[in-house]
Amino acid sequence: MELPEVISLSRSATHNFSKTPVTVLNLISGEGVEGDAHRGVTVKHRSRVAKDPDRPNLRQVHLIHTGLLEDLRIQGFEIAPGDLGENILTRGIDLLGLATDTRLKIGETVLRVTGLRNPCKQLNDFRRGLMRAVLKQDEAGNLKRLAGVMAVVEKGGQIQTGDMITAAIPKDGFRRLEPV
């Protein structure tokens, strides 16, 4: 069994689809990743700003599991760390199986998982057919979003590749992740 850990870190100061891999990220409480275009108390995603710029930013940090990149490679997509716009690439933790409000401790930092990343058409702009590859249906016909989870920074600090991750499930019970 793999230990939950950080495999890669990425950020981008501009609203590019992909982010540049780095070895260290500084996380700012209540805001997100220092030096990243999505950092802020209120929404930063351009389409969300256009709808309501005062809405709380529940998408400060984007996390993806390495299993997604491996699955995409099997389907013929060459995807490198940071390519899908994630800030943190993980291994050994089932991100999509977490509950809403799960706390992830990475080093001294604490992230609170807010929901699933809702994939957009930019995936197809990056690689044709990629959106279909990260949106599947389960046996009951329900849409499954596979493009990672979003989180907010509850306790800031520095994280680096190789840091271990621990998860604390909310005490008020399991609530399934929904798109944010």
Side-chain angles (χ1 to χ4, degrees):
M1 187 164 124
E2 297 174 319
L3 293 174
E5 69 176 314
V6 173
I7 298 302
S8 178
L9 300 165
S10 303
R11 70 170 179 242
S12 176
T14 59
H15 283 278
N16 297 329
F17 179 75
S18 297
K19 296 182 185 291
T20 304
V22 295
T23 57
V24 173
L25 285 181
N26 289 314
L27 302 181
I28 310 300
S29 295
E31 295 183 20
V33 177
E34 183 176 58
D36 194 83
H38 292 98
R39 175 183 168 194
V41 174
T42 57
V43 293
K44 299 301 173 200
H45 194 277
R46 290 181 285 185
S47 66
R48 292 167 192 262
V49 168
K51 289 180 185 174
D52 182 0
D54 298 322
R55 240 183 129 161
N57 186 4
L58 300 177
R59 300 167 54 99
Q60 295 172 0
V61 182
H62 178 201
L63 297 94
I64 289 180
H65 186 273
T66 55
L68 175 62
L69 301 188
E70 293 161 9
D71 290 346
L72 292 173
R73 278 190 199 105
I74 290 168
Q75 296 176 57
F77 296 99
E78 285 302 318
I79 306 293
D83 279 355
L84 298 180
E86 78 278 3
N87 299 110
I88 303 173
L89 183 64
T90 69
R91 176 173 50 207
I93 185 168
D94 179 12
L95 295 173
L96 301 177
L98 296 174
T100 300
D101 292 331
T102 296
R103 268 44 179 212
L104 299 175
K105 187 171 192 281
I106 306 171
E108 295 302 313
T109 69
V110 177
L111 303 177
R112 179 175 55 85
V113 177
T114 55
L116 296 168
R117 178 186 183 192
N118 198 16
C120 66
K121 75 171 199 75
Q122 287 182 317
L123 287 164
N124 284 339
D125 294 342
F126 180 68
R127 298 277 192 281
R128 185 181 174 110
L130 189 55
M131 188 153 162
R132 186 174 353 168
V134 299
L135 289 172
K136 300 290 182 185
Q137 287 188 332
D138 65 16
E139 306 79 40
N142 299 310
L143 190 60
K144 291 178 61 174
R145 292 166 176 85
L146 307 175
V149 299
M150 306 305 292
V152 295
V153 181
E154 288 197 336
K155 181 180 178 194
Q158 190 175 83
I159 63 173
Q160 58 190 356
T161 56
D163 279 352
M164 303 315 303
I165 304 168
T166 58
I169 306 301
K171 293 177 181 161
D172 62 351
F174 184 90
R175 286 182 297 132
R176 198 174 121 217
L177 291 172
E178 299 292 333
V180 292

